[in-house]
């Protein structure tokens, strides 16, 4: 089930983050009709791709019956309508502007940029010791019509209201 | 004590007891069985619900590897006291979080999904932890059955107490109710026993119920009615019968007395003219013999011998009638001595006869000496007489001791008689021999018969022509 195999060997940071990204989708739902009605889930990787081929296996996987389509691009100017967007740390400067982009109005935003959630993103990866955890900004999610499961909130390192 | 000997009352109570205990046992057993079943179903359902909820709550933590969250989740099982062990596995069956009430870890290696299994002392369920239709791990929950055991114990204890109370109540009720059945029966039985003991057929059983016992009582009373009526009839006819017997006896007695008086007076009065006939015949023979010719003297001799025979007949008849009228005077009599006396008389009367007499010594019997003397003389004289044609005769008197009593006998080896005439032997004037053969009145054995009968004895004879005869008799007076 886990796309990236078990945990019997030490997984790399992005291997884990790719799995998390994939699993986040399972605990999220969208209140927006247009997103819910869409036949597929577009997962976008913006900026310098830190996953490389590690993220590729999720392309075509189905979540709640919808197939995942993986898109990778450098700039928001060419970005399609994304259901989920991972903003690479290469976009650290001015990521707040990206979040304002109308194309991302209903998108679940994920990033490992520091204080991403605190600064208006929805889910931000954090490193606690050796373990990768995440923070959630519930307020941003609500504003965008993204409904995050309480189970996920329970696991979050920090929840910003 | 066997069942058939028990009183009906006890039987009824025992029947109620046995049936009620049987019924209550079956009822209790089925209730306990059902309770066990439903309680197990309840346990299974409850733990499955808990397991489902916990599995659903844990999928995120499992997928994001948040072991502390998993531990928090599994520790929530401690709220349910019967749960002793809980384990969360990932999809590779590695244990990630455990809850153990006792502190002992015993998570099974490779749990297989099940909605609940009951083992000897515990129950366990293994739930799949699902995420988006995929199995991402398993949850194992084990619960002790102590609670079920205690619950059933309480249940059994309660059932036992309630059953015991119910049986007790039933016993009391049946002890009261059985009276309605047994009381009329007991009364009927008492009445019947009293009637059987007292022979009082005027008693009646009281009608107390209108069931089969009531019918029995009615029939019983009807039977008593019949018996009473028949008793009255019997007593009535018995009374009239007795009266009739009395009348007949009185008539018979009068006739008998008349007959006796008649025969006595006849024989007595006959003597007088006979004595005259004999006397004058003798006088003619003595005084006028020279005037008579030889033929007349011979005829006179015949008249005299005929009158002598008649005198003997009259004597015998007198004896017979005396025997009948004589009052018995019983004492111990030495029969041997009597026979000795008779024998010596006979010897001196007939000195030219050769007769051997064998007389058993000391034969004694209770009876009237005079009558027994007459009877024995008749018997011995008969023996003497009927052996007179032999040159030397043998006569024997003795006793045979049999179980029913002494049998006396007089035996000779004389002429004897044909046994086909034996029934005429003791009838008066019935003679088996002609007077020309042997002299006799024909009354002797009738007299003997009457004497023995008066002694409540029996007399009979055994004989064979020309080989002698034996007369047996018994005596039966105290």
């Amino acid at each position: 089930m886990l796309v990236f195999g078990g945990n019997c060997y030490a997984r790399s940071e992005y291997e884990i983050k790719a799995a998390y990204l994939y699993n986040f989708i399972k605990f999220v739902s969208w209140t927006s009709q247009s997103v819910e009605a869409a036949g597929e889930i577009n997962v976008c990787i913006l900026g310098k791709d830190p996953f490389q081929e590690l993220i590729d296996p999720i392309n075509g996987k189905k979540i709640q019956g919808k197939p995942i389509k993986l898109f990778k691009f450098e700039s928001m100017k060419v970005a399609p309508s994304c259901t989920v967007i991972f903003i690479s740390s290469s976009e650290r400067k001015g990521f707040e502007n990206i979040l304002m982009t109308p194309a991302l109005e209903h998108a679940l935003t994920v990033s490992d940029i520091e204080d991403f959630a605190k600064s208006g993103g929805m889910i931000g990866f954090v490193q606690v010791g050796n373990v990768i955890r995440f923070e959630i900004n519930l307020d941003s999610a609500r504003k965008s019509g993204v409904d995050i499961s309480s189970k996920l909130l329970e696991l979050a390192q920090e929840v910003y209201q | 004590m066997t069942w058939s000997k028990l009183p009906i009352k006890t039987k009824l109570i025992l029947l109620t007891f046995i049936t009620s205990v049987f019924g209550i046992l079956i009822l209790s057993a089925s209730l306990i069985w059902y309770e066990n079943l439903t309680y197990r179903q309840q346990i299974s359902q409850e733990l499955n619900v808990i397991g489902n909820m916990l599995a659903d709550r844990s999928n995120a933590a499992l997928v994001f590897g948040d072991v502390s969250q998993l531990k928090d989740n599994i520790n929530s099982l401690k709220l349910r006291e019967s749960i002793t062990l809980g384990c969360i596995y990932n999809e590779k069956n590695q244990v990630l979080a455990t809850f153990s009430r006792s502190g002992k870890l015993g998570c099974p290696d490779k749990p297989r999904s099940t909605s609940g299994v009951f083992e000897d002392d515990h129950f366990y369920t293994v739930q799949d932890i699902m995420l988006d239709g995929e199995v991402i791990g398993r949850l194992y929950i084990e619960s002790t059955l102590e609670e079920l055991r205690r619950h059933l114990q309480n249940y059994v204890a309660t059932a036992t107490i309630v059953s015991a109370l119910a049986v007790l109540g039933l016993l009391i009720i049946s002890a009261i109710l059985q009276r309605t059945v047994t009381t009329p029966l007991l009364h009927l039985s008492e009445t019947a026993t009293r009637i059987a003991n007292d022979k009082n057929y005027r008693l009646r059983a009281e009608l107390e119920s209108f069931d089969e016992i009531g019918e029995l009582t009615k029939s019983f009373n009807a039977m008593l009615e019949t018996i009473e009526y028949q008793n009255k009839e019997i007593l009535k006819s018995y009374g009239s019968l007795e009266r009739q017997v009395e009348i007949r006896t009185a008539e018979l007695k009068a006739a008998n007395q008349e007959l006796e008086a008649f025969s006595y007076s006849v024989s007595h009065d006959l003597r007088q003219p006979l004595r005259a006939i004999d006397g004058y015949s003798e006088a003619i023979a003595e005084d006028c013999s020279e005037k008579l010719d030889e033929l007349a003297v011979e005829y006179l001799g015949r008249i005299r011998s005929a009158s002598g025979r008649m005198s003997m007949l009259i004597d015998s008849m007198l004896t017979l009638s005396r025997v009948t009228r004589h009052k018995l005077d019983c004492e111990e009599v030495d029969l041997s001595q009597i026979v000795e006396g008779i024998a010596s008389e006979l010897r001196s009367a007939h000195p030219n006869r050769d007769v051997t007499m064998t007389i058993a010594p000391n034969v004694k019997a209770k009876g009237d000496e005079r009558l027994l003397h007459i009877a024995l003389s008749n018997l011995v004289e008969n023996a003497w007489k009927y052996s007179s044609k032999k040159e030397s005769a043998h006569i024997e008197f003795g006793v045979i001791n049999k179980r029913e009593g002494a049998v006396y006998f007089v035996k000779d080896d004389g002429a004897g008689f044909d046994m086909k005439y034996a029934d005429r032997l003791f009838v008066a004037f019935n003679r088996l021999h002609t007077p020309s053969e042997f002299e006799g009145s024909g009354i002797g054995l009738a007299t003997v018969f009457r004497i023995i009968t008066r002694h409540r004895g029996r007399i009979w004879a055994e004989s064979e022509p020309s080989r002698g005869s034996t007369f047996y008799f018994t005596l039966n007076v105290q």
Side-chain angles (χ1 to χ4, degrees), chain B residues 331-336 339 360-367 372 375-376 379 396-402 404-411 448 452 455 457-462 470-477:
Chain B
E331 56 190 339
E332 197 168 69
V333 180
D334 192 337
L335 300 180
S336 305
V339 177
N362 289 322
V363 177
K364 289 178 181 168
K366 269 264 176 102
L372 287 180
L376 283 170
L379 289 175
E396 189 184 350
F397 168 75
V399 63
I400 306 164
N401 283 308
K402 290 202 166 173
E404 55 269 30
V407 177
Y408 311 94
F409 67 90
V410 175
K411 185 179 182 180
V448 174
I452 300 301
H455 282 82
R458 214 156 60 79
I459 182 161
W460 69 100
E462 278 172 13
T470 312
F471 282 82
Y472 300 94
F473 67 93
T474 62
L475 297 170
N476 207 10
V477 286

Side-chain angles (χ1 to χ4, degrees), chain B residues 118-168:
Chain B
F118 282 93
E119 298 272 328
D120 279 350
D121 59 344
H122 67 274
F123 166 84
Y124 70 85
T125 174
V126 180
Q127 305 281 324
D128 285 332
I129 299 174
M130 307 285 291
L131 181 59
D132 197 29
E134 282 176 291
V135 179
I136 58 166
R138 283 188 183 82
L139 170 66
Y140 173 87
I141 297 176
E142 186 178 301
S143 163
T144 174
L145 291 179
E146 182 63 23
E147 199 179 327
L148 170 69
R149 202 177 61 76
R150 235 180 298 127
H151 177 77
L152 283 180
Q153 261 176 3
N154 289 341
Y155 204 85
V156 169
T158 312
T160 309
I161 293 167
V162 170
S163 302
L165 287 175
V167 168
L168 194 69

Side-chain angles (χ1 to χ4, degrees), chain A residues 1 20 133 151-152 154, chain B residues 56 59 64 66 69 132 136:
Chain A
M1 54 119 302
Y20 276 25
R133 315 295 302 164
K151 293 179 192 171
L152 207 56
E154 225 172 52
Chain B
D56 186 56
N59 57 2
F64 292 107
D66 196 332
Q69 183 63 40
D132 197 29
I136 58 166

Side-chain angles (χ1 to χ4, degrees), chain B residues 157-370:
Chain B
T158 312
T160 309
I161 293 167
V162 170
S163 302
L165 287 175
V167 168
L168 194 69
L170 281 168
L171 270 182
I172 293 169
I173 291 169
S174 73
I176 294 167
L177 289 184
Q178 57 83 22
R179 283 191 205 147
T180 61
V181 178
T182 54
T183 308
L185 207 56
L186 286 179
H187 285 171
L188 185 60
S189 158
E190 273 166 23
T191 312
T193 313
R194 220 162 62 218
I195 289 168
N197 287 339
D198 304 350
K199 310 270 183 283
N200 180 359
Y201 296 100
R202 264 170 299 169
L203 288 175
R204 291 289 179 273
E206 199 184 326
L207 187 63
E208 288 171 72
S209 61
F210 296 92
D211 50 8
E212 288 89 337
I213 296 169
E215 287 302 311
L216 187 62
T217 310
K218 277 189 211 160
S219 314
F220 182 67
N221 283 342
M223 269 159 59
L224 284 177
E225 203 89 47
T226 314
I227 290 173
E228 201 187 344
Y229 172 75
Q230 284 176 349
N231 267 358
K232 266 184 205 156
E233 287 296 299
I234 289 169
L235 280 176
K236 229 193 275 173
S237 59
Y238 181 73
S240 69
L241 207 67
E242 216 164 46
R243 244 173 290 126
Q244 267 186 338
V245 169
E246 256 167 43
I247 294 165
R248 292 274 183 285
T249 314
E251 281 173 1
L252 215 62
K253 223 181 203 170
N256 237 7
Q257 271 174 353
E258 234 168 79
L259 201 67
E260 269 167 28
F262 171 73
S263 65
Y264 182 78
S265 63
V266 163
S267 24
H268 200 262
D269 295 349
L270 282 176
R271 271 179 182 288
Q272 221 63 19
L274 191 61
R275 211 170 280 145
I277 293 168
D278 192 44
Y280 284 112
S281 303
E282 195 183 1
I284 290 171
E286 274 179 16
D287 303 342
C288 316
S289 56
E290 62 270 23
K291 295 176 191 163
L292 298 172
D293 59 10
E294 223 170 278
L295 191 64
V297 170
E298 197 200 321
Y299 285 165
L300 204 60
R302 286 206 184 177
I303 290 171
R304 285 207 63 199
S305 90
S307 69
R309 268 213 315 279
M310 191 166 174
S311 165
M312 198 178 72
L313 259 169
I314 290 167
D315 280 349
S316 304
M317 280 173 71
L318 267 174
T319 311
L320 184 61
S321 79
R322 268 194 213 112
V323 162
T324 312
R325 286 189 305 172
H326 183 78
K327 198 163 173 283
L328 278 191
D329 184 12
C330 287
E331 56 190 339
E332 197 168 69
V333 180
D334 192 337
L335 300 180
S336 305
Q337 216 181 334
I338 294 175
V339 177
E340 294 276 9
I342 297 163
S344 65
E345 270 173 38
L346 283 169
R347 276 215 187 84
S348 57
H350 306 270
N352 49 348
R353 277 203 55 189
D354 175 19
V355 177
T356 320
M357 296 280 291
T358 313
I359 299 164
N362 289 322
V363 177
K364 289 178 181 168
K366 269 264 176 102
D368 185 291
E369 189 166 13
R370 262 189 57 199

